[in-house]
PDB file of all heavy atoms in Angstrom:
ATOM      1  N   ARG A  24      -4.678 -46.835   3.596  1.00 92.00           N
ATOM      2  CA  ARG A  24      -4.281 -46.401   2.272  1.00 92.00           C
ATOM      3  C   ARG A  24      -3.647 -45.015   2.362  1.00 92.00           C
ATOM      4  O   ARG A  24      -4.176 -44.120   3.017  1.00 92.00           O
ATOM      5  CB  ARG A  24      -5.516 -46.354   1.385  1.00 92.00           C
ATOM      6  CG  ARG A  24      -5.227 -46.145  -0.062  1.00 92.00           C
ATOM      7  CD  ARG A  24      -6.493 -46.191  -0.846  1.00 92.00           C
ATOM      8  NE  ARG A  24      -7.115 -44.874  -0.711  1.00 92.00           N
ATOM      9  CZ  ARG A  24      -8.362 -44.617  -1.073  1.00 92.00           C
ATOM     10  NH1 ARG A  24      -9.123 -45.566  -1.544  1.00 92.00           N
ATOM     11  NH2 ARG A  24      -8.842 -43.403  -0.954  1.00 92.00           N
ATOM     12  N   ASP A  40      15.098 -13.489  10.541  1.00 67.00           N
ATOM     13  CA  ASP A  40      13.804 -13.885  11.112  1.00 67.00           C
ATOM     14  C   ASP A  40      13.902 -15.358  11.486  1.00 67.00           C
ATOM     15  O   ASP A  40      13.589 -16.229  10.700  1.00 67.00           O
ATOM     16  CB  ASP A  40      12.698 -13.649  10.085  1.00 67.00           C
ATOM     17  CG  ASP A  40      11.318 -13.982  10.606  1.00 67.00           C
ATOM     18  OD1 ASP A  40      11.187 -14.269  11.815  1.00 67.00           O
ATOM     19  OD2 ASP A  40      10.370 -13.982   9.801  1.00 67.00           O
ATOM     20  N   SER A  54       5.137 -24.901  15.770  1.00 70.00           N
ATOM     21  CA  SER A  54       5.704 -23.905  14.855  1.00 70.00           C
ATOM     22  C   SER A  54       4.839 -22.656  14.745  1.00 70.00           C
ATOM     23  O   SER A  54       5.272 -21.656  14.179  1.00 70.00           O
ATOM     24  CB  SER A  54       5.915 -24.517  13.470  1.00 70.00           C
ATOM     25  OG  SER A  54       4.680 -24.948  12.929  1.00 70.00           O
ATOM     26  N   ALA A  55       3.627 -22.671  15.290  1.00 72.00           N
ATOM     27  CA  ALA A  55       2.735 -21.508  15.217  1.00 72.00           C
ATOM     28  C   ALA A  55       2.567 -20.804  16.555  1.00 72.00           C
ATOM     29  O   ALA A  55       1.891 -19.790  16.634  1.00 72.00           O
ATOM     30  CB  ALA A  55       1.371 -21.941  14.694  1.00 72.00           C
ATOM     31  N   ILE A  64     -10.997 -15.885  10.444  1.00 48.00           N
ATOM     32  CA  ILE A  64     -10.708 -16.909   9.432  1.00 48.00           C
ATOM     33  C   ILE A  64     -10.050 -16.195   8.253  1.00 48.00           C
ATOM     34  O   ILE A  64     -10.525 -15.161   7.799  1.00 48.00           O
ATOM     35  CB  ILE A  64     -12.000 -17.612   8.982  1.00 48.00           C
ATOM     36  CG1 ILE A  64     -12.597 -18.373  10.157  1.00 48.00           C
ATOM     37  CG2 ILE A  64     -11.730 -18.546   7.808  1.00 48.00           C
ATOM     38  CD1 ILE A  64     -13.932 -19.015   9.854  1.00 48.00           C
ATOM     39  N   GLN A  69      -4.240 -25.161   6.037  1.00 74.00           N
ATOM     40  CA  GLN A  69      -3.312 -26.260   5.813  1.00 74.00           C
ATOM     41  C   GLN A  69      -3.462 -26.743   4.377  1.00 74.00           C
ATOM     42  O   GLN A  69      -4.478 -26.531   3.733  1.00 74.00           O
ATOM     43  CB  GLN A  69      -3.571 -27.399   6.799  1.00 74.00           C
ATOM     44  CG  GLN A  69      -3.200 -27.061   8.221  1.00 74.00           C
ATOM     45  CD  GLN A  69      -4.169 -26.097   8.880  1.00 74.00           C
ATOM     46  OE1 GLN A  69      -5.355 -26.331   8.870  1.00 74.00           O
ATOM     47  NE2 GLN A  69      -3.663 -25.009   9.430  1.00 74.00           N
ATOM     48  N   VAL A  71      -2.863 -29.850   1.251  1.00 87.00           N
ATOM     49  CA  VAL A  71      -2.875 -31.287   0.987  1.00 87.00           C
ATOM     50  C   VAL A  71      -2.301 -31.516  -0.406  1.00 87.00           C
ATOM     51  O   VAL A  71      -2.646 -30.808  -1.347  1.00 87.00           O
ATOM     52  CB  VAL A  71      -4.301 -31.871   1.055  1.00 87.00           C
ATOM     53  CG1 VAL A  71      -4.321 -33.324   0.624  1.00 87.00           C
ATOM     54  CG2 VAL A  71      -4.867 -31.724   2.454  1.00 87.00           C
ATOM     55  N   PRO A  75       0.486 -39.384  -6.629  1.00 84.00           N
ATOM     56  CA  PRO A  75       0.129 -40.038  -7.889  1.00 84.00           C
ATOM     57  C   PRO A  75      -0.519 -41.393  -7.624  1.00 84.00           C
ATOM     58  O   PRO A  75      -0.209 -42.052  -6.640  1.00 84.00           O
ATOM     59  CB  PRO A  75       1.469 -40.218  -8.605  1.00 84.00           C
ATOM     60  CG  PRO A  75       2.406 -39.292  -7.932  1.00 84.00           C
ATOM     61  CD  PRO A  75       1.911 -39.115  -6.537  1.00 84.00           C
ATOM     62  N   GLY A  84       2.062 -49.793  11.790  1.00 90.00           N
ATOM     63  CA  GLY A  84       3.396 -49.569  12.318  1.00 90.00           C
ATOM     64  C   GLY A  84       4.480 -49.366  11.270  1.00 90.00           C
ATOM     65  O   GLY A  84       5.628 -49.110  11.623  1.00 90.00           O
ATOM     66  N   ASP A  97       5.197 -24.279  -6.379  1.00 83.00           N
ATOM     67  CA  ASP A  97       4.539 -25.489  -5.880  1.00 83.00           C
ATOM     68  C   ASP A  97       5.401 -26.265  -4.896  1.00 83.00           C
ATOM     69  O   ASP A  97       6.627 -26.154  -4.900  1.00 83.00           O
ATOM     70  CB  ASP A  97       4.206 -26.437  -7.052  1.00 83.00           C
ATOM     71  CG  ASP A  97       3.188 -25.852  -7.992  1.00 83.00           C
ATOM     72  OD1 ASP A  97       2.160 -25.358  -7.506  1.00 83.00           O
ATOM     73  OD2 ASP A  97       3.427 -25.886  -9.217  1.00 83.00           O
ATOM     74  N   CYS A 102       6.191 -40.858  -2.233  1.00 85.00           N
ATOM     75  CA  CYS A 102       6.574 -41.925  -1.301  1.00 85.00           C
ATOM     76  C   CYS A 102       7.714 -42.708  -1.922  1.00 85.00           C
ATOM     77  O   CYS A 102       7.676 -43.027  -3.111  1.00 85.00           O
ATOM     78  CB  CYS A 102       5.411 -42.898  -1.074  1.00 85.00           C
ATOM     79  SG  CYS A 102       4.246 -42.372   0.155  1.00 85.00           S
ATOM     80  N   PRO A 114       9.790 -36.120  -9.925  1.00 61.00           N
ATOM     81  CA  PRO A 114       8.721 -35.276  -9.391  1.00 61.00           C
ATOM     82  C   PRO A 114       7.512 -35.204 -10.305  1.00 61.00           C
ATOM     83  O   PRO A 114       6.481 -34.713  -9.919  1.00 61.00           O
ATOM     84  CB  PRO A 114       9.386 -33.908  -9.245  1.00 61.00           C
ATOM     85  CG  PRO A 114      10.513 -33.924 -10.206  1.00 61.00           C
ATOM     86  CD  PRO A 114      10.965 -35.350 -10.286  1.00 61.00           C
ATOM     87  N   VAL A 115       7.636 -35.695 -11.524  1.00 62.00           N
ATOM     88  CA  VAL A 115       6.525 -35.667 -12.472  1.00 62.00           C
ATOM     89  C   VAL A 115       5.791 -36.992 -12.394  1.00 62.00           C
ATOM     90  O   VAL A 115       6.399 -38.061 -12.446  1.00 62.00           O
ATOM     91  CB  VAL A 115       7.045 -35.424 -13.918  1.00 62.00           C
ATOM     92  CG1 VAL A 115       5.894 -35.449 -14.902  1.00 62.00           C
ATOM     93  CG2 VAL A 115       7.817 -34.130 -13.986  1.00 62.00           C
TER      94      VAL A 115
END
Side-chain angles (χ1 to χ4, degrees):
R24 190 177 81 192
D40 182 7
S54 61
I64 295 175
Q69 290 73 52
V71 173
D97 295 312
C102 276
V115 178

